[in-house]
Amino acid sequence: MKVSVSWLKDLVEFNNDIDGLAEKLSMTGFEVESLEDLSDQAKNVVVGFVDEIAPHPNAEKLKVCSVNVGLPKNLSIVCGAPNVKAGYHVLVAKVGAYLSSKSLKIKLSNLRGVESEGMICSLDELGIESSNEGIEILEENEANIPPIGSNAVDYLGLNDTIIELAITANRPDGMSIAGIAREISIITNSKLILPTLNFNNDFETFQPQIKDKETIGSDCIYSLTYIDNITNTGKINKSIFNKLKSIRQNCINPIVDITNFLMLEQGQPLHAFDADLLDKIVGRKVLPNDFGIRNGKAGELFIALDKKEYKLNENIKLITCGNIPIAIAGVIGGNNSSVSAKTTRVWLEAAVFTPTSVRNSSRAIGLRTDASSRYEKGISSNMTTAVAKRASQLISLELGGNIKSTYINNEFIRKDINVELRIEKINKVLGKLSCTNNNKSDKSSKTNRHLNKDEIEPLMRKLGCQLTNTSSGWNVQIPPYRSSDLTREIDLIEEIARLIGYDNFDSNMPYPLEPGVLTPANLVERNLRNSFIHNGFQEVVTSSLVGPDNTDGNAVLIKNPLLSETSRLRTNVWDEHLKILQRNVSFGAEGCWIFEIAKTYKKDKESFFETNLLAGSLTGNKRFSKWGSASKQISLDYFEARGKLKQSLEVLGIETIDKQLNDKEFLHPGRTSQLFVEGKSIGFFGQIHPSLSEEFDLIKETYLFNLELDPLIKAATRKTNWTRVYKDYPTVPYMERDIALIHSRKYSSLEIINLIKKSGRPLLEKVELIDRYEGSTIPEDSVSQAFRIKYRDPKKTLVEEDINPIHEKIRTTLKEKINADLRS
């Protein structure tokens, strides 16, 4: 929001310390983003008078002008403008002037053999938009010509400073000059001089054809004012013209300029429809009830004021006349009813549309306007008719218009907002004022104290509130211009704190101060992250918002997405992980191992489900150097990759069991396992499907893992796992025996290990797979595996006679249960 200081000074009295004012505005919630001194655009530019003009001796299109700028000697300036004439006042940039809009410094120059001592300027060259071609002739635009040699800043209306403010969504009143003036009046304790608004209910009701109730809510308004006998030729008066120009607002024609002026001054967008053009659209004289609001139709076309054609859809809200679109509600008017210099009659629209409807329409056509930005933040409907009356009065006063009638939709009822404000609640929320900020002359005031009524009441009145005393505090009537953001008691308390200054209140820290501690679940998650990083993984964070190509049919859709690419919540994370691998490999990385603790979201009928995941992916190998390895990149095989995941999960102190998995379409059917913890499936690990590796241009040996985090944490923090149990270190040695066998592929190593453990009791301590072989020397449907078994008796050293019966029992069991061919 850009605000003109000179415009503000017409509404509120304050001193010229702009930097101090900017600091105060920032401290009370209106952050000042920049300050721009407009006079910089016309430094060393003065009013001159062209005494004589002579043709240029070496160029037909150039003229040599003798220009009086108030110096003892006239300046000789070469000018090529077609409208330069002797006997007229012009704007002259002297040598040394810098035209910031053109990044041009004026120097003494030689143009085709003739020395030029400056430049006769057009408004465009001074950074001021103008429809005039050629240089600025002062006699054409100003009755009172400034003295020759005087600074052109005042003539150009550039004796001003522009304050650019960042307006937050909870302060829609800040989107108006009047709103900022009120704020300045409060924080500087200065006099406010706002134009008087008429809030009388002197209007007729009508029934517009509102087919879409979402656009006009219960607290919204739609009003029309019919004005005729308007003279819309020429320019608006210079005061309004300069105010609009100072904040870079284009001046189009007097009617439009007045509507723009009121939008900037009061924050209420207005739109004027040419009544004669509407009559042509409908085929007869338009009546108020001919206006309406409806949704657009798919494929319907609309040509707006910017002369662009927009393709409409059902999400776009339209203002219609005779059911024919004449505007997109709250965004932009239509070219078919636009006001021009020929306009003599208008229907002046003043309305409040719901923020959601305007935001949807604006996003659908890809256009955000000054009007839509105000509607999106929310506008008080209590101000609408008063601003419309002021606009009508200005049209009548400046353009001779005759105000015929004002109409308002019959559903609208003006509502006064009253809020109960309790002194006890104020003190409870804000606490005490710091003693360092109390009256220093009062030596007895050495302790912190609460606010009293005499301090609160003036602040409320400065906000424009009307107070009625009650036993607990006040009944506060909210002014119309703040009725959209001051609706609760806590809103008023926040205003009190903001105006007094948050730093003036005493800090109230908890006592005693106790350091925070991590819960077991927090510790597990932290340890898990560190373990993955120590094992060579890098943590990534991906967006939860994805497009339609990255989800399935159970996706949760975003109601008002900014873009189609972020229109729903993700149902998986592996898709984005593969893209990360692809980008890293394409940039030359030999390997990329990543992990993420993330969330996925799904919808089942009317319920929504959020799942915490530990997910990641691996491709390639990561080595510090190539010593002892071939120069060609070496990839991880399935078991090495699975081993990296196992190493990273060991910090949890729980056992994960693998079982073959074949139903994941995006994973290799023979190289995928389902992972179990405490007998429950928690996710999968596997190599991606060859078609997927080709799609993402990755090597075949690329792996994904996707584990539910909550069961992992629950198992790791279970008392039997979380509480460490210490055992005596064994004082007797163990004995090892190996068993090698050939068996059918249908038996997994896990099943065989469980058979060995069951048969090897009570001396068997540990069994592990140490070798696996598949090849032409054994049957095609078989596999060779070797297991190492450790035996130990905690009370004595084992001898062969102790082990042989148990080992033979294991061999017999393997033969009987899985028909194994034992090789050792």
Side-chain angles (χ1 to χ4, degrees), residues 107 218 353 411 638 682:
K107 301 177 182 177
S218 59
F353 307 110
E411 290 91 354
Y638 176 88
I682 62 164

Side-chain angles (χ1 to χ4, degrees), residues 387-543:
V387 177
K389 288 175 182 177
R390 174 158 160 74
S392 303
Q393 289 165 0
L394 279 176
I395 292 174
S396 175
L397 180 65
E398 298 290 337
L399 312 178
N402 182 20
I403 304 169
K404 288 289 188 180
S405 51
T406 300
Y407 304 89
I408 189 170
N409 61 312
N410 56 1
E411 290 91 354
F412 175 72
I413 301 174
R414 187 187 303 281
K415 298 176 183 177
D416 291 330
I417 298 178
N418 291 279
V419 177
E420 196 70 26
L421 182 61
R422 297 164 294 169
I423 187 73
E424 181 183 356
K425 181 70 171 179
I426 295 171
N427 292 332
K428 183 178 179 181
V429 173
L430 299 183
K432 296 181 178 181
L433 284 172
S434 174
C435 62
T436 57
N437 298 297
N438 294 337
N439 188 354
K440 294 182 180 179
S441 62
D442 182 5
K443 295 184 180 181
S444 65
S445 188
K446 294 182 179 180
T447 58
N448 297 341
R449 62 175 181 81
H450 288 112
L451 289 169
N452 56 52
K453 282 192 171 186
D454 292 337
E455 292 169 311
I456 295 170
E457 287 182 356
L459 294 177
M460 290 291 99
R461 292 194 173 94
K462 282 182 180 180
L463 290 172
C465 300
Q466 296 181 19
L467 304 178
T468 303
N469 287 317
T470 65
S471 59
S472 59
W474 307 269
N475 182 276
V476 182
Q477 184 175 333
I478 307 300
Y481 47 84
R482 295 296 300 273
S483 61
S484 59
D485 69 295
L486 297 182
T487 57
R488 304 168 300 167
E489 183 180 31
I490 195 66
D491 297 330
L492 293 172
I493 295 173
E494 182 184 2
E495 285 295 286
I496 293 169
R498 185 178 67 85
L499 296 175
I500 290 177
Y502 294 108
D503 53 346
N504 289 326
F505 288 91
D506 185 38
S507 59
N508 186 19
M509 300 296 290
Y511 182 82
L513 284 175
E514 296 180 359
V517 294
L518 294 176
T519 64
N522 297 144
L523 283 171
V524 168
E525 186 173 324
R526 175 181 286 185
N527 293 339
L528 198 55
R529 292 178 192 272
N530 291 336
S531 180
F532 270 90
I533 292 169
H534 294 158
N535 281 285
F537 288 83
Q538 289 178 290
E539 186 173 9
V540 298
V541 179
T542 56
S543 174

